[in-house]
Amino acid sequence: MYEPNVVGDWREYDEHAGLRLRVHRLEPAEPPRGRDDAAEGLTYFRVRITVENRGETPCAVHLEDGQIDVRVGPDGESAFLDWRNSQFVEGFDVHPLRRVTAVLYAAAAEADLSQVDVQVQLRVDEEWAGRRMWTGGLGLPEGATGAAPTGAARDGGLAHQVSAFLRGQADEGAA
């Protein structure tokens, strides 16, 4: 069973040796060029997505709109994504031992921000990597930033709770 990562965890890609990704710094923030009128009455937040190359060769990384999905609240409703203020990675060559970071501004109802899910599908050297998900919330501490396997040493953490819920839903559907 696939378990989501906790915001702050690094996730290594098997299909791209040495490449790893992390969703981090989920925090309240106003966008640099002002609020979008479509976000009237919503609370803005910012999330950073970092790609690190620990491999031996450079790779071209694409992390653009449409490759990131943000869902909030217990029902997983879509957050408003402020594409105008966000900063993406468009075909950047990440050399060994270097990083590149995208900054995404989004907005949602304040009551839903205690549960935020971010799904990312990275494109590397014109090939799509598998989708990965991180879960967290505004006001919750980030997970460990080491490369420990997801769920290890955090059996009571948010990722474990989400995984247990999904397993329960799958068991109910199979019955």
Side-chain angles (χ1 to χ4, degrees):
M1 167 53 89
Y2 170 75
E3 290 188 23
N5 302 290
V6 176
V7 168
D9 284 349
W10 286 99
R11 172 66 184 204
E12 298 195 21
Y13 282 94
D14 295 332
E15 60 265 37
H16 299 286
L19 203 64
R20 64 185 200 157
L21 180 102
R22 126 175 124 152
V23 172
H24 60 110
R25 303 250 329 250
L26 180 58
E27 59 194 359
E30 286 297 320
R33 291 176 285 224
R35 297 175 64 88
D36 189 305
D37 292 339
E40 183 82 26
L42 301 176
T43 301
Y44 262 91
F45 61 97
R46 171 178 55 213
V47 63
R48 293 180 185 274
I49 303 167
T50 299
V51 179
E52 181 179 63
N53 185 355
R54 296 180 138 207
E56 297 179 4
T57 59
C59 55
V61 172
H62 302 270
L63 191 54
E64 305 165 336
D65 57 342
Q67 292 174 249
I68 305 166
D69 191 14
V70 179
R71 301 288 171 160
V72 296
D75 294 329
E77 293 184 21
S78 182
F80 168 77
L81 301 178
D82 190 340
W83 301 118
R84 179 180 62 122
N85 283 303
S86 297
Q87 301 159 357
F88 299 101
V89 177
E90 300 177 19
F92 190 82
D93 291 333
V94 182
H95 289 271
L97 303 177
R98 298 285 190 220
R99 294 179 177 175
V100 62
T101 300
V103 180
L104 182 70
Y105 285 90
E110 190 168 355
D112 291 337
L113 294 179
S114 63
Q115 184 174 340
V116 178
D117 296 325
V118 180
Q119 184 171 293
V120 179
Q121 184 171 21
L122 190 64
R123 194 172 69 180
V124 180
D125 294 328
E126 301 303 324
E127 293 179 22
W128 291 98
R131 291 184 184 273
R132 304 290 191 264
M133 188 171 84
W134 282 260
T135 188
L138 263 57
L140 296 176
E142 284 193 4
T145 56
T150 303
R154 286 191 306 275
D155 289 336
L158 182 59
H160 177 72
Q161 293 173 17
V162 169
S163 180
F165 171 77
L166 291 173
R167 268 189 242 124
Q169 292 294 317
D171 292 344
E172 287 177 18

